[in-house]
Amino acid sequence: MQELWTDKYRPRKLSDFTYNLDAIAKFTKLARNHVDIPHLCVEGIRGIGKKTMIMAFIRECVDQHGLSGEMVYHTENKTMELRFNNKDINLILQKSNYHYNLDPSNYGIYDRHIVQDALRSLFKYHSITKYPYKNFIIRMSEELSIEAQEVLRRTLENCIKNCRFIFVINTDKRGGLIAPLKSRCITIRLSAPTNEEALAVIKNILTQEKITYLSDAFIKKFYQRCGGNLSRCINLLQLAIVKYGPKQMIELVKSKDGLNLAEICQVTRVCQEIIIELIESERPNIINIRQKFYNLLADGVNSEEIIKNIFRIALTNLPQRVVEITKITDTIEQHLHNSSREFYHLENYILQLLNLIKHDQATKPRKTIKLTPIIPPATITTTTTTTTTATTTATTATTTTTPTTTTITPTTTTTTPVTTTTTTTPATTTTTTATTSN
């Protein structure tokens, strides 16, 4: 099985990074002052290497104590069996001799108990190595409850002798650390790599893989379509190269449309199918859409990632409803952050979009559907042919009925005046035409 490029070419030292050089300088300065390292808070969007940079920082600190920093990457998974209020919890964490890596927010309202009891049982003992303290990496810290963060305020002060906390925060989500907790840490912000920096990283990987047929313009455009997520860009690019092969990739580089994300990314393809069904079908199958959401969530796809893909495709198809779609999306994202039943809010989001789409189609009948650029060309041709045939038949039907109404009006007014007030049906029109022909 081929190894992922993101794991194969992951930087293991701070000197291996070629972007975010200001943050690298701060990490290097803190690592050299290895005796008194404070608690840290690392912020940045998803997929720019926050955890990779933290692991390289811990390795640098271990090396400063004369130990083998490479042992930081020799990790194992540990399961702790906990019980709170008649509730059994299996806390899964990743550990090495020098750090623990965990995500308490996965356990909902019990994250306070994990922070208060489980973590205290881990750092109350001193390390058996020469390394003076243990490092705790708290992933998804922006999703910690207020109660858990309040508990951590006192914990950070009590465990300063033999423990250091490193909070990882995704800035593309709502929330964050409370001010009293954040004031006890040094904040280091990471920015997304620029187009030139991302190009240098990807070109280095392609050179080592002996791939030379991808142009610089193609790589920059593909990176922009990934939204600045460098790890996602590398993974999708590797998947496309494995799927299409060199010959077809050369043709895609030369074409104007470029690479179709819907063909290589399952999340984009499923979200695209949902939006097409909402627009094309008169009665969309909500049960089918619900099953697609179930499959995505069961595969571990983040609900906010699903919302972003649907939002992007909906804006492309309905440019006249930008304000309404943005308001609906903002409300649903806020509900997702404040609640735990994410599936219900995804379904609510689809129903509100369906109501908006059908209201727009009822007030302004659409002639042709403007599909997203990532939809295959085959679907575009089929939609245009169906709409044109429908319009031609409608026009012919209206032109044939108009002369019959003009000839009937003199007879109806002279014989029966009551017929002028009543509504005419298709059956009465056929009988009157029969009498006039006789």
Side-chain angles (χ1 to χ4, degrees):
M1 185 177 180
Q2 189 175 6
E3 187 179 1
L4 291 176
W5 290 350
T6 51
D7 295 332
K8 186 177 180 180
Y9 301 102
R10 187 184 302 273
R12 291 178 174 266
K13 297 181 180 179
L14 292 176
S15 58
D16 295 338
F17 286 89
T18 58
Y19 59 92
N20 279 321
L21 299 181
D22 295 338
I24 294 297
K26 294 180 181 179
F27 276 120
T28 305
K29 185 177 180 180
L30 289 173
R32 291 175 181 175
N33 186 18
H34 55 85
V35 178
D36 188 15
I37 297 178
H39 302 293
L40 298 179
C41 176
V42 182
E43 298 179 348
I45 64 173
R46 188 189 302 271
I48 60 174
K50 296 186 295 297
K51 287 177 286 187
T52 303
M53 198 171 294
I54 290 172
M55 294 296 291
F57 166 70
I58 297 176
R59 174 181 176 168
E60 191 74 20
C61 294
V62 174
D63 288 337
Q64 292 293 331
H65 285 83
L67 302 174
S68 177
E70 188 65 26
M71 295 299 296
V72 174
Y73 298 99
H74 295 179
T75 60
E76 61 179 358
N77 294 327
K78 181 181 179 181
T79 302
M80 297 180 60
E81 295 181 358
L82 308 173
R83 187 174 180 83
F84 304 111
N85 297 330
N86 298 326
K87 173 71 174 179
D88 294 330
I89 298 177
N90 293 326
L91 177 61
I92 301 175
L93 49 88
Q94 192 178 22
K95 65 179 289 291
S96 68
N97 293 334
Y98 308 106
H99 83 286
Y100 291 90
N101 190 350
L102 70 157
D103 184 6
S105 63
N106 285 336
Y107 303 93
I109 60 175
Y110 296 97
D111 58 350
R112 178 177 66 88
H113 300 285
I114 293 174
V115 170
Q116 186 174 4
D117 299 330
L119 292 186
R120 286 182 180 179
S121 64
L122 291 175
F123 60 71
K124 68 180 180 180
Y125 301 107
H126 290 275
S127 177
I128 60 176
T129 63
K130 294 182 181 180
Y131 197 64
Y133 43 78
K134 299 177 182 179
N135 295 288
F136 286 87
I137 303 175
I138 308 298
R139 306 191 310 271
M140 309 292 288
S141 300
E142 74 280 355
E143 295 187 358
L144 289 175
S145 62
I146 300 298
E147 292 79 7
Q149 296 188 38
E150 291 289 344
V151 172
L152 282 172
R153 291 174 55 184
R154 189 62 180 270
T155 304
L156 264 62
E157 296 176 355
N158 294 336
C159 67
I160 194 65
K161 294 181 180 179
N162 61 342
C163 177
R164 296 295 184 274
F165 277 86
I166 302 177
F167 298 97
V168 183
I169 298 179
N170 293 326
T171 55
D172 52 355
K173 290 186 176 183
R174 292 177 179 267
L177 296 181
I178 58 177
L181 184 60
K182 200 171 183 178
S183 63
R184 290 167 169 81
C185 306
I186 291 182
T187 303
I188 298 178
R189 295 180 177 86
L190 305 181
S191 60
T194 62
N195 293 337
E196 299 297 333
E197 292 172 346
L199 177 63
V201 174
I202 298 174
K203 289 285 286 185
N204 184 27
I205 296 175
L206 295 177
T207 303
Q208 297 185 45
E209 292 291 329
K210 298 180 180 180
I211 298 174
T212 58
Y213 48 80
L214 296 181
S215 63
D216 296 348
F218 175 82
I219 297 175
K220 289 181 180 180
K221 184 178 179 181
F222 189 75
Y223 172 70
Q224 292 175 357
R225 294 178 66 181
C226 293
N229 193 329
L230 184 59
S231 62
R232 182 171 184 261
C233 177
I234 295 173
N235 288 331
L236 291 180
L237 192 62
Q238 181 184 7
L239 182 61
I241 293 173
V242 173
K243 181 178 181 179
Y244 294 116
K247 293 183 180 180
Q248 194 169 357
M249 283 297 295
I250 294 174
E251 295 178 358
L252 290 173
V253 171
K254 295 180 180 179
S255 63
K256 295 182 179 180
D257 297 332
L259 193 60
N260 189 0
L261 287 180
E263 295 181 1
I264 59 177
C265 182
Q266 181 184 2
V267 180
T268 306
R269 181 173 66 252
V270 173
C271 295
Q272 176 179 288
E273 293 173 355
I274 292 173
I275 294 298
I276 291 177
E277 185 173 358
L278 294 179
I279 297 177
E280 293 290 336
S281 178
E282 295 181 358
R283 294 181 179 179
N285 191 352
I286 303 298
I287 303 299
N288 186 22
I289 296 176
R290 179 185 296 175
Q291 186 62 38
K292 292 179 180 179
F293 280 148
Y294 267 127
N295 296 335
L296 288 178
L297 294 176
D299 292 339
V301 181
N302 191 7
S303 59
E304 295 188 358
E305 187 70 21
I306 300 174
I307 291 291
K308 287 181 180 180
N309 281 275
I310 294 177
F311 174 69
R312 186 180 65 251
I313 299 174
L315 285 184
T316 308
N317 287 309
L318 300 170
Q320 70 278 8
R321 293 288 187 176
V322 174
V323 178
E324 292 85 349
I325 295 175
T326 305
K327 289 182 179 179
I328 293 173
T329 307
D330 182 69
T331 304
I332 295 298
E333 284 186 343
Q334 186 176 3
H335 291 169
L336 281 173
H337 175 70
N338 296 330
S339 62
S340 59
R341 300 285 184 175
E342 54 186 10
F343 176 76
Y344 297 137
H345 299 292
L346 289 175
E347 189 172 341
N348 183 21
Y349 183 54
I350 289 300
L351 292 177
Q352 292 191 37
L353 286 180
L354 177 61
N355 186 21
L356 185 64
I357 291 170
K358 295 308 175 184
H359 178 73
D360 187 66
Q361 292 177 355
T363 54
K364 295 181 181 180
R366 52 188 175 85
K367 297 181 180 180
T368 57
I369 298 175
K370 182 180 179 182
L371 300 176
T372 58
I374 59 176
I375 294 178
T379 56
I380 298 176
T381 56
T382 54
T383 53
T384 53
T385 53
T386 53
T387 52
T388 52
T389 54
T391 53
T392 53
T393 54
T395 52
T396 54
T398 53
T399 52
T400 54
T401 53
T402 48
T404 57
T405 55
T406 54
T407 56
I408 292 170
T409 49
T411 59
T412 54
T413 52
T414 56
T415 55
T416 55
V418 183
T419 55
T420 57
T421 58
T422 58
T423 58
T424 59
T425 59
T428 57
T429 55
T430 54
T431 54
T432 53
T433 52
T435 55
T436 53
S437 62
N438 291 329

